[in-house]
Structures are given as structure tokens and as C-alpha cells.
Amino acid sequence: MNMWFLLNPPGKATIHVENVDEFKWLNSSYSPVLRQLETASMKEYYFKADHPTVSGSSNLKYRNPKYLSMLNHLRFYLPQVYPKLDKILFLDDDIVVQKDLTGLWSVDLHGKVNGAVETCGQSFHRFDKYLNFSNHHISRNFDPNACGWAYGMNMFDLKVWKKKDITGIYHKWQNMNEDRALWKLGTLPPGLITFYGLTHPLEKSWHVLGLGYNPSVHKKEIEHAAVIHYNGNMKPWLDLAMTKYRPYWTKYVKYDHHYLRSCNLSERSAHPLERVNELYAMLTFEDTL
């Protein structure tokens, strides 16, 4: 990655590439996720294929080890990764920045820690979709109808973060979820918990989501968005990608670059399989609704 930016300097931006292996503070005595990953029960749950089917957890997606990747959970350690910063703009790796994001720096978060676009236009993006409200720890502390929000493009006030001890809140709930009774997978559920009451809603045009699973995102929304997000399985660099969304990503790809030629990426016209994938996405999305 260092070599990529040396050969492709990004204008006036300063690039600093971190190596997670050099974070000596990130160890199992400090991080609950690392400690949990080392337990026999967690290894059996995530890495063994012969465990019995349990009601509510038989879906294979709940057993995907990527959800315990420390690269995912590093978002809860931003002040430790960047101790000298007071504010940071967090971007996922499956987004495309289409417009200048400088304006985000001056958005007033009104004392909140997290600036994010809310996603509760549909009922299935409320808290009860992500958290187990049959557990008294969840039902006592959170509103099941509270609005969810999106990771992928977030403004974080690290000064307020430190004051509120956000990482400590995350550690508390991650420890309580060792048996996966509060939520099943991912970093969004603990994010919703950790930043509960501490999230300021951003205007939706800053961050338009769903290009990796939702075939119904309007073209006008996409074109007006500052950031578009291919969250979901149908990433633009995969054959699974939805044809109508791919060009917003491919137009930035230098296909003749010698590094990219070894990445099995090809600039091609729509394949019949892609239309099948779009129809499948539409069916599954409507089924979710």
C-alpha cells in the first residue's frame, strides 16, 4: 500500500499507512474481541463446521470469521490509533467519494461524538433489527424503535470521544456479549449501542448506501451524493456487481495499471449473469422489506 501511494501520489493529501501489528497496546488483555477470539468456545463457533444447528444461529453468515476481524473493530480505537487528532473522518473501503468533503469538517455535531447518516427510512433499520430485545440488558437500556445509522462515512469528535470514554463503553458491552446473547455479528450492533444518544444525524446526500444489495437506489440520489457506498455482497469489483451501479466505481479504475492487471479486474459490458444477480437482489431486498 505504501508503494501504491508512492507511485500514485494523491495530490495535496498526506498519506500515512499504519500496520496493525505495530499497535502494541492492542492485545488480548486490553481488547475483549481479541480475548474472546482466543477462547475455545469462540473458535468452535466461528471456525468449526461440525457444530450442531442451533435455533436462531444456523444461518452461516453469523459464523463468518470476518466479523471478528480486528480491522473491523479498529473503528472503536480511533483515539489510540491517532492520539494527536481531535477530529477524524472515517471512510470504509467500499465507498466512492464523488464530491469535496471539506464541508463535513465544519458540521456542528452539537456535543455528540458520531456524525452519521440515519438509515431508518424502512422499519428494518431500527434497533430491534440488530439487537436482541428479549435480553433484559438490551430492553432496559435501548428503544427498539430507535433509528439506526450507517458506518462507512462518519465524522468523529475524538475530544468528546475521550471525555465520554467511548472505547470503555464498547469494551463493557463487548464483554457482556461473550455468549452472543445481545447481538450476533458485525460492528454495527455494538456501534449502535456504544454511540446511543451520542450520534448526530447528517444530511442524507452526504452518504448514499445500498449499492451492494439494493437495486432500487434512485439515480438522482446517487449522482447528488458526496459519498456512495457499496455495502452488501455485490461489490463493484466482483462479477456479482449490479450493472447499473458499476460505472460509478469503474470510471476511477486505471485498468492499464500493471498492479491492477494482476487483480483479475476487467472493464467489460454487462454479462447475462449480472441481470440475474440484479433480479435476485430485488427479490431478496423485497423479501426483507
Coordinates of all heavy atoms in Angstrom, one line a residue, residues 108-159:
D108 N -21.6 21.1 12.8 CA -21.7 21.1 14.2 C -22.4 19.9 14.7 O -23.6 19.6 14.4 CB -22.6 22.4 14.6 CG -22.6 22.5 16.2 OD1 -22.1 21.7 16.9 OD2 -23.2 23.5 16.6
L109 N -21.7 19.1 15.5 CA -22.2 17.8 16.0 C -23.0 18.0 17.3 O -23.5 17.0 17.8 CB -21.1 16.8 16.2 CG -20.3 16.4 14.9 CD1 -19.3 15.3 15.3 CD2 -21.2 15.9 13.8
H110 N -23.1 19.2 17.7 CA -23.9 19.6 18.9 C -23.5 18.7 20.1 O -24.4 18.2 20.9 CB -25.4 19.4 18.6 CG -25.9 20.3 17.5 ND1 -26.1 21.7 17.7 CD2 -26.1 20.1 16.2 CE1 -26.5 22.2 16.6 NE2 -26.5 21.3 15.6
G111 N -22.2 18.6 20.3 CA -21.7 17.9 21.5 C -21.8 16.3 21.4 O -21.4 15.6 22.3
K112 N -22.2 15.8 20.2 CA -22.2 14.4 20.0 C -20.8 13.9 19.6 O -20.0 14.7 19.2 CB -23.3 14.0 19.0 CG -24.7 14.6 19.2 CD -25.3 14.0 20.4 CE -26.8 14.5 20.5 NZ -27.5 14.0 21.7
V113 N -20.7 12.6 19.6 CA -19.4 12.0 19.2 C -19.4 11.6 17.7 O -18.3 11.8 17.0 CB -19.1 10.8 20.0 CG1 -17.7 10.2 19.7 CG2 -19.1 11.1 21.5
N114 N -20.5 11.1 17.2 CA -20.5 10.5 15.9 C -21.5 11.3 15.0 O -22.7 11.4 15.3 CB -21.0 9.0 16.1 CG -21.3 8.3 14.8 OD1 -20.7 8.6 13.7 ND2 -22.1 7.3 14.8
G115 N -21.0 11.7 13.8 CA -21.9 12.3 12.8 C -22.1 11.2 11.7 O -21.2 10.7 11.1
A116 N -23.4 10.8 11.5 CA -23.7 9.7 10.6 C -25.0 9.9 9.9 O -25.9 10.6 10.5 CB -23.7 8.4 11.3
V117 N -25.2 9.3 8.8 CA -26.5 9.3 8.1 C -27.4 8.3 8.7 O -27.0 7.1 8.8 CB -26.3 9.1 6.6 CG1 -27.6 8.8 5.9 CG2 -25.6 10.3 5.9
E118 N -28.6 8.6 9.0 CA -29.6 7.7 9.6 C -30.1 6.8 8.5 O -30.2 7.2 7.3 CB -30.7 8.4 10.3 CG -30.2 9.1 11.6 CD -31.3 9.7 12.4 OE1 -32.3 10.1 11.7 OE2 -31.2 9.8 13.6
T119 N -30.5 5.6 8.8 CA -31.0 4.6 7.8 C -32.4 4.0 8.1 O -32.8 3.0 7.6 CB -30.0 3.4 7.8 OG1 -29.9 2.8 9.1 CG2 -28.6 3.8 7.3
C120 N -33.2 4.8 9.0 CA -34.4 4.2 9.4 C -35.6 4.6 8.5 O -36.8 4.7 9.0 CB -34.7 4.5 10.9 SG -34.7 6.3 11.2
G121 N -35.4 4.9 7.3 CA -36.5 5.1 6.3 C -37.3 3.9 6.2 O -38.5 4.0 6.0
Q122 N -36.8 2.7 6.4 CA -37.5 1.5 6.5 C -37.4 0.9 7.9 O -36.5 1.1 8.6 CB -36.9 0.5 5.5 CG -36.9 0.9 4.0 CD -35.6 1.7 3.7 OE1 -34.7 1.6 4.4 NE2 -35.7 2.4 2.6
S123 N -38.5 0.2 8.3 CA -38.6 -0.3 9.7 C -37.5 -1.2 10.0 O -37.1 -1.4 11.2 CB -39.9 -0.9 9.9 OG -40.1 -2.0 9.0
F124 N -36.9 -1.9 9.0 CA -35.9 -3.0 9.3 C -34.5 -2.4 9.6 O -33.6 -3.1 9.9 CB -35.8 -4.0 8.2 CG -35.3 -3.5 6.9 CD1 -34.0 -3.5 6.6 CD2 -36.2 -3.0 6.0 CE1 -33.5 -3.1 5.4 CE2 -35.8 -2.6 4.7 CZ -34.4 -2.6 4.4
H125 N -34.4 -1.0 9.7 CA -33.2 -0.4 10.1 C -33.3 0.3 11.4 O -32.5 1.2 11.7 CB -32.7 0.6 9.0 CG -32.1 -0.1 7.8 ND1 -32.2 0.4 6.5 CD2 -31.3 -1.2 7.7 CE1 -31.5 -0.4 5.7 NE2 -31.0 -1.3 6.4
R126 N -34.2 -0.2 12.2 CA -34.3 0.3 13.6 C -33.6 -0.7 14.5 O -33.2 -1.8 14.1 CB -35.8 0.5 14.0 CG -36.4 1.6 13.1 CD -37.8 2.0 13.6 NE -38.3 3.0 12.7 CZ -38.2 4.3 12.8 NH1 -37.4 4.8 13.8 NH2 -38.7 5.1 11.9
F127 N -33.4 -0.3 15.8 CA -32.6 -1.1 16.7 C -33.1 -2.5 16.9 O -32.2 -3.4 17.1 CB -32.6 -0.4 18.1 CG -31.5 0.7 18.2 CD1 -31.2 1.6 17.2 CD2 -30.7 0.7 19.4 CE1 -30.2 2.5 17.4 CE2 -29.7 1.7 19.6 CZ -29.4 2.5 18.5
D128 N -34.4 -2.7 16.8 CA -34.9 -4.1 17.1 C -34.4 -5.1 16.0 O -34.6 -6.3 16.1 CB -36.4 -4.1 17.3 CG -37.1 -3.6 16.1 OD1 -36.5 -3.1 15.1 OD2 -38.4 -3.7 16.1
K129 N -33.9 -4.6 14.8 CA -33.4 -5.4 13.8 C -32.0 -6.0 14.1 O -31.7 -7.0 13.7 CB -33.4 -4.6 12.5 CG -32.7 -5.4 11.3 CD -33.5 -6.6 10.9 CE -32.9 -7.3 9.7 NZ -33.7 -8.5 9.3
Y130 N -31.3 -5.2 14.9 CA -29.9 -5.5 15.2 C -29.6 -6.1 16.5 O -28.6 -6.8 16.7 CB -29.0 -4.3 15.0 CG -29.1 -3.6 13.6 CD1 -29.9 -2.5 13.4 CD2 -28.4 -4.1 12.5 CE1 -30.0 -1.9 12.2 CE2 -28.5 -3.5 11.3 CZ -29.3 -2.4 11.1 OH -29.4 -1.9 9.9
L131 N -30.5 -5.8 17.5 CA -30.2 -6.2 18.9 C -31.3 -7.1 19.4 O -32.5 -7.1 18.9 CB -30.2 -4.9 19.8 CG -29.2 -3.8 19.4 CD1 -29.3 -2.6 20.3 CD2 -27.8 -4.4 19.4
N132 N -31.0 -8.0 20.4 CA -31.9 -8.9 20.9 C -32.7 -8.3 22.1 O -32.2 -8.3 23.3 CB -31.1 -10.2 21.4 CG -32.0 -11.2 22.1 OD1 -33.2 -11.2 21.9 ND2 -31.4 -12.1 22.8
F133 N -33.9 -7.8 21.8 CA -34.6 -7.2 22.9 C -35.4 -8.1 23.8 O -36.0 -7.7 24.7 CB -35.6 -6.2 22.2 CG -35.0 -4.9 21.9 CD1 -34.4 -4.7 20.7 CD2 -35.1 -3.8 22.8 CE1 -33.8 -3.4 20.4 CE2 -34.5 -2.6 22.6 CZ -33.8 -2.4 21.4
S134 N -35.2 -9.4 23.6 CA -35.6 -10.4 24.6 C -34.7 -10.5 25.8 O -35.0 -11.0 26.8 CB -35.8 -11.8 24.0 OG -34.6 -12.3 23.6
N135 N -33.5 -9.9 25.6 CA -32.5 -9.9 26.7 C -32.7 -8.6 27.5 O -32.8 -7.5 27.0 CB -31.1 -9.9 26.1 CG -30.0 -9.9 27.2 OD1 -29.8 -8.9 27.8 ND2 -29.3 -11.1 27.3
H136 N -32.8 -8.7 28.8 CA -33.1 -7.6 29.7 C -32.1 -6.5 29.7 O -32.4 -5.3 29.9 CB -33.4 -8.0 31.1 CG -32.2 -8.5 31.9 ND1 -31.6 -9.7 31.7 CD2 -31.4 -7.8 32.8 CE1 -30.6 -9.9 32.5 NE2 -30.4 -8.7 33.1
H137 N -30.8 -6.8 29.4 CA -29.8 -5.8 29.3 C -30.1 -4.8 28.1 O -29.8 -3.6 28.2 CB -28.4 -6.4 29.1 CG -27.9 -7.2 30.3 ND1 -27.7 -6.6 31.5 CD2 -27.6 -8.5 30.5 CE1 -27.2 -7.5 32.4 NE2 -27.2 -8.6 31.8
I138 N -30.6 -5.4 27.0 CA -30.9 -4.6 25.9 C -32.2 -3.9 26.1 O -32.3 -2.6 25.9 CB -31.0 -5.5 24.6 CG1 -29.6 -6.1 24.3 CG2 -31.5 -4.7 23.4 CD1 -28.6 -5.1 23.9
S139 N -33.3 -4.6 26.5 CA -34.6 -4.0 26.6 C -34.7 -2.9 27.7 O -35.4 -1.9 27.6 CB -35.6 -5.0 27.0 OG -35.3 -5.7 28.2
R140 N -33.8 -3.0 28.7 CA -33.8 -2.0 29.8 C -33.1 -0.7 29.4 O -33.3 0.4 29.9 CB -33.0 -2.5 31.0 CG -34.0 -3.0 32.1 CD -33.2 -3.3 33.4 NE -31.8 -3.6 33.3 CZ -31.2 -4.4 34.0 NH1 -31.8 -5.1 34.9 NH2 -29.9 -4.6 33.9
N141 N -32.2 -0.8 28.4 CA -31.3 0.4 28.1 C -31.6 1.0 26.7 O -31.1 2.1 26.5 CB -29.8 -0.1 28.1 CG -29.4 -0.4 29.5 OD1 -29.1 0.5 30.3 ND2 -29.3 -1.7 29.9
F142 N -32.3 0.4 25.8 CA -32.4 0.9 24.5 C -33.9 0.9 24.0 O -34.7 0.0 24.4 CB -31.5 0.1 23.5 CG -30.1 0.1 23.9 CD1 -29.6 -1.0 24.6 CD2 -29.3 1.2 23.8 CE1 -28.3 -1.1 25.0 CE2 -28.0 1.2 24.2 CZ -27.4 0.0 24.8
D143 N -34.2 1.8 23.1 CA -35.5 1.9 22.5 C -35.5 1.0 21.2 O -34.7 1.3 20.3 CB -35.8 3.3 22.1 CG -37.1 3.5 21.4 OD1 -37.9 2.5 21.2 OD2 -37.5 4.6 21.0
P144 N -36.4 0.0 21.1 CA -36.4 -0.9 19.9 C -36.7 -0.1 18.6 O -36.3 -0.5 17.5 CB -37.5 -1.9 20.2 CG -38.3 -1.3 21.3 CD -37.4 -0.4 22.1
N145 N -37.4 1.0 18.7 CA -37.7 1.8 17.6 C -36.7 2.9 17.3 O -36.9 3.8 16.4 CB -39.1 2.5 17.7 CG -40.2 1.4 17.7 OD1 -40.2 0.5 16.9 ND2 -41.1 1.5 18.7
A146 N -35.6 3.0 18.0 CA -34.6 4.0 17.8 C -34.0 3.8 16.4 O -33.9 2.7 15.8 CB -33.4 3.9 18.8
C147 N -33.7 4.9 15.8 CA -33.2 4.9 14.4 C -31.8 4.4 14.3 O -30.9 4.9 15.0 CB -33.3 6.3 13.8 SG -33.1 6.4 12.0
G148 N -31.6 3.5 13.3 CA -30.2 3.0 13.0 C -29.5 4.1 12.2 O -30.1 5.0 11.7
W149 N -28.2 3.9 12.1 CA -27.4 4.8 11.3 C -26.3 4.0 10.6 O -26.2 2.8 10.8 CB -26.7 5.9 12.1 CG -26.1 5.5 13.4 CD1 -26.7 5.4 14.6 CD2 -24.8 4.9 13.5 NE1 -25.8 4.9 15.6 CE2 -24.6 4.6 14.9 CE3 -23.7 4.7 12.7 CZ2 -23.4 4.1 15.4 CZ3 -22.5 4.2 13.2 CH2 -22.4 3.9 14.6
A150 N -25.6 4.6 9.7 CA -24.6 3.8 8.9 C -23.2 4.1 9.2 O -22.8 5.2 9.4 CB -24.9 4.2 7.4
Y151 N -22.4 3.0 9.3 CA -21.0 3.1 9.2 C -20.6 3.3 7.7 O -21.4 2.9 6.8 CB -20.3 1.9 9.7 CG -19.9 1.9 11.2 CD1 -20.3 0.9 12.0 CD2 -19.2 3.0 11.7 CE1 -20.0 0.9 13.4 CE2 -18.9 3.0 13.1 CZ -19.3 1.9 13.9 OH -19.0 2.0 15.2
G152 N -19.4 3.8 7.4 CA -19.0 3.9 6.0 C -18.5 5.3 5.7 O -17.5 5.5 5.0
M153 N -19.2 6.3 6.3 CA -18.7 7.7 6.3 C -19.2 8.4 7.5 O -20.4 8.7 7.7 CB -19.3 8.4 5.0 CG -18.6 9.8 4.8 SD -19.7 11.1 4.2 CE -20.7 11.4 5.6
N154 N -18.3 8.6 8.5 CA -18.6 9.1 9.8 C -17.7 10.2 10.2 O -16.5 10.0 10.0 CB -18.6 8.0 10.9 CG -19.5 6.8 10.5 OD1 -19.1 6.0 9.7 ND2 -20.6 6.7 11.1
M155 N -18.2 11.3 10.8 CA -17.4 12.3 11.4 C -17.3 12.0 12.9 O -18.4 11.9 13.6 CB -17.9 13.7 11.2 CG -17.6 14.3 9.9 SD -15.8 14.5 9.6 CE -15.3 15.4 11.0
F156 N -16.1 11.8 13.5 CA -16.0 11.5 14.9 C -15.2 12.7 15.6 O -14.2 13.1 15.1 CB -15.2 10.2 15.1 CG -15.9 9.0 14.7 CD1 -15.5 8.2 13.7 CD2 -17.1 8.6 15.4 CE1 -16.2 7.0 13.3 CE2 -17.8 7.4 15.1 CZ -17.3 6.6 14.0
D157 N -15.8 13.2 16.7 CA -15.2 14.2 17.5 C -14.4 13.4 18.6 O -15.0 12.8 19.5 CB -16.2 15.1 18.2 CG -15.6 16.2 18.9 OD1 -14.5 16.0 19.5 OD2 -16.2 17.3 18.9
L158 N -13.1 13.3 18.4 CA -12.3 12.5 19.3 C -12.1 13.1 20.7 O -11.8 12.4 21.6 CB -10.9 12.2 18.6 CG -11.0 11.4 17.3 CD1 -9.6 11.1 16.8 CD2 -11.8 10.2 17.4
K159 N -12.2 14.4 20.8 CA -12.2 15.1 22.1 C -13.3 14.7 22.9 O -13.2 14.3 24.1 CB -12.1 16.6 21.9 CG -10.8 17.1 21.3 CD -10.9 18.6 21.1 CE -10.8 19.4 22.4 NZ -10.7 20.9 22.1

